[in-house]
Amino acid sequence: MAPNVDYQHVRRTRELLEEVVELDPDYADAWALLARILLKEHSVAWGYAEDLPTSAEVIDRAVGAVEIAERLNPDAPELVLAKADLAYWIYRFNPSEAGARARATAAYRQAVAARPKDVDVLESAASYYHWNNMVEPAMELYDRILQLEPRTEVRLSRAMLLAESDIAAGYREMVTVGELHPESTWKESLAYLETHLGHYHHALAI
């Protein structure tokens, strides 16, 4: 299997952050970023890496990095999103844990309140809401992101969310994205739409 470019990039970022915190162990933001990249690397590594650590081991490392960052500087700019992403992953891998979803939701609300114009924060929170079928807050954040920065992948995510309630409208939005940005993953999104939500051409015929 050919190496996954995203995985290779994420792995290299994690290695660089590990070097940074070794050289400057008091750099709180680097510890917070390391926590996030550990979780991201684990999420994209399946099928491209062998001898992967378990989800529990990755979460433990991320918890340790967040704790160090918070001890060094509880007001570190990167910390609020690192704590939200960590809460999300704890919930994702332990959905039956009491209060896990509520803690993740509260953490993302806090992150958005703290950094209301940070597109990375908004996109991470929107993805969490979308994954949990929280349609209104997800759509609100997608719209806010697109006002700040017209990210193509965000438009596709918004179209997918729209399709869950109006499949024809979601399809049209995806086609529009494809016309404007043919290099995007809009065809993959359409394939997902047809597989998981039904046949979009039937909806268009209504």
Side-chain angles (χ1 to χ4, degrees):
M1 181 178 292
N4 181 283
V5 174
D6 187 54
Y7 168 66
Q8 299 292 351
H9 173 75
V10 171
R11 184 181 69 176
R12 183 56 183 153
T13 303
R14 187 259 302 161
E15 291 171 346
L16 290 172
L17 283 168
E18 288 175 334
E19 293 176 14
V20 169
V21 296
E22 184 175 355
L23 291 170
D24 186 358
D26 294 330
Y27 192 174
D29 277 324
W31 282 106
L33 287 170
L34 178 58
R36 293 189 64 212
I37 209 69
L38 284 166
L39 298 168
K40 183 173 179 61
E41 180 184 20
H42 190 61
S43 73
V44 300
W46 297 106
Y48 300 98
E50 298 179 354
D51 301 322
L52 292 173
T54 66
S55 298
E57 290 170 339
V58 172
I59 288 173
D60 283 346
R61 283 200 65 193
V63 167
V66 165
E67 289 176 346
I68 292 172
E70 190 160 29
R71 185 167 65 249
L72 291 169
N73 181 8
D75 297 319
E78 296 295 337
L79 184 57
V80 66
L81 183 53
K83 291 170 73 173
D85 284 352
L86 178 57
Y88 160 66
W89 282 98
I90 290 173
Y91 168 53
R92 179 171 178 175
F93 288 109
N94 302 280
S96 61
E97 181 179 325
R101 174 172 173 163
R103 286 191 294 272
T105 301
Y108 276 114
R109 285 176 178 161
Q110 182 179 358
V112 170
R115 294 164 63 178
K117 294 185 178 181
D118 186 315
V119 173
D120 288 335
V121 171
L122 300 179
E123 188 170 356
S124 188
S127 295
Y128 166 76
Y129 290 137
H130 191 160
W131 182 71
N132 280 282
N133 297 315
M134 301 165 72
V135 175
E136 289 187 10
M139 191 66 77
E140 178 188 347
L141 291 182
Y142 283 144
D143 288 341
R144 194 188 305 184
I145 293 165
L146 293 172
Q147 289 177 353
L148 294 168
E149 184 179 319
R151 291 188 176 185
T152 304
E153 294 305 317
V154 172
R155 282 197 69 179
L156 289 174
S157 295
R158 185 188 183 282
M160 186 65 70
L161 181 62
L162 178 62
E164 292 176 12
S165 59
D166 186 338
I167 194 169
Y171 166 77
R172 287 192 294 269
E173 179 68 12
M174 286 183 190
V175 171
T176 299
V177 173
E179 291 171 348
L180 294 172
H181 306 284
E183 77 289 351
S184 69
T185 59
W186 71 281
K187 290 183 179 179
E188 290 86 343
S189 296
L190 279 179
Y192 180 92
L193 179 64
E194 178 162 321
T195 301
H196 294 274
L197 297 178
H199 297 286
Y200 52 78
H201 50 270
H202 290 167
L204 291 176
I206 296 174

